[in-house]
Amino acid sequence: MTIREINVKNFKSLYDVSFQPGKVNVFIGANGSGKSTILEAIGILSGAMTDRVNNSVLQRKGIRLSASALYKSKFKTMKREGLTVDLGIQWEDGAEYDYSVHMTTPTDDDTWKYHSESVNQDGNLLWGRSNRSAIQLNNGIGYFMVTETLNGHGCRRMGKYIEKYGIYQPDTPTLRGTVTDNTQIAPIGLNGGRMADALQDILKSVDGDMRLGALYIEDVLDLIDWASGFDIAVPKRANLNPGVPSTRQVIEFKDRFLKANAAFTGYDASEGALYVLFMLCMAMHPDSPSMFAIDSFDHALNPRLAKRLTEIFSQLILESQRTVFMTTHNPLVLDGLDLCNDDIRLFAVSRNRDGHAVIDRIQVSQELLESGQPLSRLWINGRLGGVPELI
């Protein structure tokens, strides 16, 4: 199954945008250019296509709750506000499919209303409904996944693929286990909750070698250069102060520079190590969503670690047949992307003269290859776009 295009109209700064994603998709751009809004639009599409759109669904997907009037585009140059937020996705799965939905934002409660919803196969209508349909359906619920007309049809596989989409924003206190994740879903919460439990699921001994998912532990420890090993254990007085809040299971590290009995938990570990383990677990855990987003992928990572982790993370995503959307402000993340692989795509997000967000795919041209400069340098020098014009 291959996603061909995603379309968004009249949602916040996304007045009318479309882009063709790969499996690994990285968005760069100035602060406020619309990168996170793109992730949110995909989340609303996920909710609309597989269930409904209300505050509960938005929170479960990591989408910021806005006042109803602020969900729609409100640019000064608009002569008239759009009536609906329009979303669409095109994909190929033995045939070419096109799902589109037009929704009105909440008025009397927190529920978005379906103005129309349809799916096409090879340009022909498979199913659709609107406010003008002879049989009126509940306009607060999506019917793509439940209408009997599509029972057993292959187009439903996209719904299964996209339904668990969420925007992950891990934070250090949650990864350390000292605060509760506000959105705890399987296998890891959107802020990193219960990561120790998720890691235990994929930490195995295979033929006498310890592995974390598909990776040998030695390869994982190459990313955490001070650690000689880690395990999942219950918290105990020897390595965690009783006054520190904790989950029932914790990550226990061993430092190669310390004595063997000087193990300590994630509470005392470098936050970078926790972010590395979070990203690897998301890419390899069998219960991770087929499609998800990470806002600020580079958070807490030094530049060289960000580059290497990007390389490994991208390869794991491709091997697992997942789709990920990421934002970053760290130029070294770009150096970890193999843009010669068409499944890995880089997009620059900017605002045009009217304030509308614009998405441009950055492809490796012969000129860029011959420049002898890494992508990080090209980005900093303004050769790729996605940078503010600062004096």
Side-chain angles (χ1 to χ4, degrees):
M1 179 161 50
T2 303
I3 300 174
R4 292 301 185 192
E5 187 168 280
I6 293 175
N7 317 103
V8 184
K9 291 184 179 181
N10 201 36
F11 177 65
K12 296 186 177 180
S13 63
L14 307 179
Y15 179 66
D16 186 358
V17 301
S18 62
F19 68 99
Q20 295 76 43
K23 292 294 185 182
V24 176
N25 304 279
V26 178
F27 297 92
I28 60 173
N31 297 97
S33 60
K35 302 184 300 298
S36 297
T37 303
I38 295 169
L39 307 187
E40 292 183 326
I42 299 170
I44 293 175
L45 172 63
S46 168
M49 189 177 194
T50 63
D51 186 10
R52 67 198 72 195
V53 180
N54 56 27
N55 285 352
S56 176
V57 170
L58 296 182
Q59 287 181 307
R60 191 169 68 244
K61 293 185 177 297
I63 299 170
R64 296 166 292 185
L65 300 183
S66 299
S68 178
L70 298 180
Y71 286 118
K72 293 193 293 186
S73 301
K74 289 183 174 293
F75 296 103
K76 292 180 180 179
T77 54
M78 293 173 58
K79 294 182 180 179
R80 187 179 65 179
E81 289 187 18
L83 297 177
T84 60
V85 173
D86 306 334
L87 306 162
I89 183 170
Q90 293 86 53
W91 72 98
E92 186 176 325
D93 187 10
E96 293 185 358
Y97 296 99
D98 180 351
Y99 171 86
S100 63
V101 61
H102 303 258
M103 307 193 77
T104 57
T105 54
T107 52
D108 52 345
D109 56 19
D110 69 351
T111 302
W112 294 45
K113 302 299 192 297
Y114 288 75
H115 184 271
S116 64
E117 182 184 21
S118 64
V119 60
N120 294 288
Q121 177 182 327
D122 295 329
N124 300 311
L125 182 67
L126 276 180
W127 170 83
R129 54 108 170 212
S130 72
N131 290 342
R132 298 179 180 178
S133 298
I135 300 177
Q136 289 298 304
L137 303 175
N138 186 331
N139 67 356
I141 299 174
Y143 279 85
F144 172 73
M145 293 297 288
V146 297
T147 179
E148 292 183 0
T149 304
L150 298 177
N151 283 353
H153 200 285
C155 67
R156 286 263 178 84
R157 281 193 289 271
M158 176 52 73
K160 293 294 184 182
Y161 191 79
I162 198 176
E163 67 178 341
K164 293 184 179 180
Y165 174 92
I167 304 170
Y168 289 80
Q169 290 183 292
D171 63 67
T172 302
T174 307
L175 290 173
R176 293 196 192 284
T178 58
V179 300
T180 303
D181 197 318
N182 292 326
T183 311
Q184 183 58 59
I185 56 178
I188 309 177
L190 295 184
N191 296 125
R194 297 189 64 186
M195 184 171 71
D197 300 82
L199 288 170
Q200 187 175 52
D201 292 339
I202 61 173
L203 188 61
K204 308 289 183 184
S205 175
V206 180
D207 297 329
D209 295 312
M210 287 302 297
R211 293 191 186 185
L212 184 69
L215 298 177
Y216 288 101
I217 287 298
E218 290 77 10
D219 295 327
V220 177
L221 296 178
D222 283 343
L223 298 171
I224 311 172
D225 58 357
W226 53 263
S228 60
F230 68 91
D231 204 348
I232 309 302
V234 295
K236 42 188 178 288
R237 288 179 178 270
N239 58 23
L240 188 65
N241 189 301
V244 176
S246 177
T247 53
R248 57 188 178 87
Q249 293 198 102
V250 295
I251 307 170
E252 190 174 83
F253 290 95
K254 290 184 178 179
D255 191 315
R256 64 190 178 94
F257 299 103
L258 303 181
K259 295 180 179 180
N261 62 353
F264 52 91
T265 72
Y267 179 78
D268 290 303
S270 149
E271 63 176 347
L274 300 177
Y275 282 87
V276 165
L277 293 178
F278 172 86
M279 299 301 175
L280 295 180
C281 193
M282 284 298 302
M284 294 189 290
H285 198 289
D287 295 333
S288 290
S290 299
M291 188 167 122
F292 63 94
I294 299 176
D295 210 358
S296 297
F297 176 84
D298 54 278
H299 186 72
L301 303 175
N302 76 59
R304 293 185 66 183
L305 177 57
K307 174 186 175 182
R308 182 61 181 144
L309 181 59
T310 301
E311 294 173 348
I312 296 173
F313 181 80
S314 298
Q315 187 58 41
L316 292 171
I317 290 295
L318 297 183
E319 291 173 357
S320 65
Q321 291 297 302
R322 291 186 166 94
T323 299
V324 66
F325 302 89
M326 308 168 354
T327 68
T328 184
H329 288 282
N330 189 332
L332 267 294
V333 168
L334 275 60
D335 291 344
L337 299 174
D338 177 11
L339 295 189
C340 292
N341 184 335
D342 195 46
D343 285 329
I344 299 176
R345 302 189 179 186
L346 174 64
F347 300 91
V349 185
S350 58
R351 304 283 284 271
N352 66 17
R353 60 186 298 175
D354 294 321
H356 306 170
V358 178
I359 306 173
D360 293 309
R361 182 182 174 187
I362 305 300
Q363 293 182 281
V364 179
S365 65
Q366 192 62 33
E367 179 188 0
L368 292 180
L369 289 174
E370 293 175 353
S371 71
Q373 297 186 62
L375 287 174
S376 57
R377 177 62 60 184
L378 292 170
W379 184 21
I380 292 172
N381 290 341
R383 297 283 300 280
L384 302 181
V387 293
E389 294 182 4
L390 301 177
I391 298 177

